[in-house]
Amino acid sequence: MISKVIRLVCSDCGASLSLNADTQDDAFTYARKMSWAVSRDRKACYCPQCAPHRRHVGKYGTRRAVVQERFKSI
């Protein structure tokens, strides 16, 4: 197979990553190993600096800035 260049651009800050891969699946797998976050539909991706703010669970998740403690009464 001929490898092609696949370029990922961070949806938040615009950082880019260029990969030589046989398929897009291989490129996304390698990007995830490099700590990039790729959405399930693969339309958005985030660099290692922005990814913790987009992850909500798991080992690398960050704390939310604002947590709603109570409901506002009407």
Side-chain angles (χ1 to χ4, degrees):
M1 274 191 158
I2 299 172
S3 63
K4 54 186 174 181
V5 176
I6 297 173
R7 186 170 179 235
L8 302 175
V9 178
C10 179
S11 297
D12 282 345
C13 68
S16 65
L17 174 68
S18 296
L19 300 170
N20 289 328
D22 294 334
T23 62
Q24 258 191 336
D25 291 335
D26 293 341
F28 290 133
T29 302
Y30 184 72
R32 286 186 176 120
K33 287 181 183 178
M34 300 276 301
S35 299
W36 278 66
V38 180
S39 64
R40 287 184 186 174
D41 60 0
R42 297 180 177 173
K43 292 181 181 177
C45 56
Y46 304 99
C47 69
Q49 305 298 323
C50 299
H53 302 291
R54 296 295 179 166
R55 292 185 179 116
H56 298 293
V57 295
K59 182 178 177 183
Y60 296 112
T62 59
R63 301 186 130 221
R64 292 182 284 171
V66 178
V67 178
Q68 182 178 356
E69 295 179 3
R70 61 182 81 133
F71 295 107
K72 293 181 180 178
S73 60
I74 296 175

